[in-house]
């Protein structure tokens, strides 16, 4: 079964850091770009960051709201993608979902399938 | 304010057909594949279907997706209570260099 599992969320104070993990199974992890998408309580979906596959340079892209504070990375040997979140703000409070994005270079073709179950990040004093 | 515009809610009776619209611009829907996601309360979104060109191209069970110009739509036929969920459209935006999502549409079966 193709699956991704998110972990690492929790309660953190503003200005602190947190690292999320996304573990893939049932597919060749290194052949896919991976993405993080978040959803604030009662709100819609917002993409956060994605990382291409190694053969596409493992290039990274970030939403403007997190650029300079968050870092996405991957360890294909462990089939894990990470989201290092620094200088957290209260507005970063959300459920964070990891997803297998796609295998193309062109992100316009990414389907985001499947999604992890989500890991909740709460930023509060 | 979402870049892609969706109605906040649509409703129908069992067996009816409903359509969810998604309006964008030339830099997103007009240029790239549109994806649709289904999300039940308290659960993660799930990829449902996608459409790319101007032909009806996405069909999955009772769900079909299409695009025309800078607008897209998701049609649900034979509406069932199990279809009650939030539905989101999404597309890559060439100008913003990132993905944009609709605000989500809640489908209610009366």
């Amino acid at each position: 079964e193709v699956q991704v599992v998110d972990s690492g969320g929790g309660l953190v104070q503003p200005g602190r850091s947190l690292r999320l993990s996304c573990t893939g199974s049932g597919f060749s992890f290194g052949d896919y770009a991976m993405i993080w998408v978040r959803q604030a309580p009662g709100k819609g979906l917002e993409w956060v960051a994605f990382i291409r596959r190694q053969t596409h340079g493992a290039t990274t892209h970030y939403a403007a709201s997190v650029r300079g504070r968050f870092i996405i990375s991957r360890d294909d040997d462990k089939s894990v993608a990470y989201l290092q979140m620094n200088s957290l703000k209260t507005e970063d409070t959300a459920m964070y979902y990891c997803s297998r994005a796609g295998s193309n270079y062109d992100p316009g073709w990414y389907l985001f399938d499947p999604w992890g179950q989500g890991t909740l990040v709460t930023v509060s004093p | 304010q979402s870049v892609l515009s969706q109605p906040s809610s649509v409703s129908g009776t069992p067996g009816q057909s409903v359509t969810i619209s998604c309006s964008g611009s030339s830099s997103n829907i007009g240029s790239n594949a549109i994806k649709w996601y289904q999300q039940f309360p308290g659960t993660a979104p799930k990829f449902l279907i996608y459409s790319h060109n101007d032909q009806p191209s996405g069909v999955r069970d009772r769900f079909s997706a299409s695009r025309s110009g800078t607008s897209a739509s998701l049609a649900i036929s034979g509406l069932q209570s199990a279809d009650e969920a939030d539905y989101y459209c999404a597309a890559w935006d060439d100008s913003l260099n990132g993905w944009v999502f609709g605000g989500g549409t809640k489908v209610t079966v009366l």
Side-chain angles (χ1 to χ4, degrees), chain A residues 35 37 39 43-47 50 61 97 106-113 115-118, chain B residues 32-33 35 37 39 43-47 50 52 88 90 92 96-103:
Chain A
I35 186 171
V37 176
Q39 186 172 34
K43 302 297 184 181
L45 302 171
E46 177 192 19
W47 84 282
F50 83 91
H61 296 261
Y97 298 102
D106 182 356
W109 283 105
Y110 293 170
L111 298 181
F112 307 168
D113 182 34
W115 295 56
Q117 82 286 1
Chain B
N32 295 293
K35 279 78 70 169
Y37 301 93
Q39 185 179 34
T43 69
K46 174 184 174 183
F47 170 71
Y50 83 99
H52 176 58
Y88 293 90
W92 177 262
L96 297 175
N97 207 31
W99 281 283
V100 290
F101 286 89

Side-chain angles (χ1 to χ4, degrees), chain B residues 48-65:
Chain B
L48 189 59
I49 199 170
Y50 83 99
S51 64
H52 176 58
N53 51 38
D54 291 334
Q55 300 175 12
S57 55
V59 179
R60 181 172 176 174
D61 297 331
R62 296 175 292 102
F63 298 86
S64 63

Side-chain angles (χ1 to χ4, degrees), chain A residues 67-85:
Chain A
R67 193 174 298 132
R69 299 188 298 123
F70 290 11
I71 301 171
I72 188 172
S73 61
R74 63 189 301 154
D75 184 339
D76 292 342
D77 290 336
K78 297 181 179 179
S79 297
V80 180
Y82 301 100
L83 186 67
Q84 177 67 40
M85 304 186 295

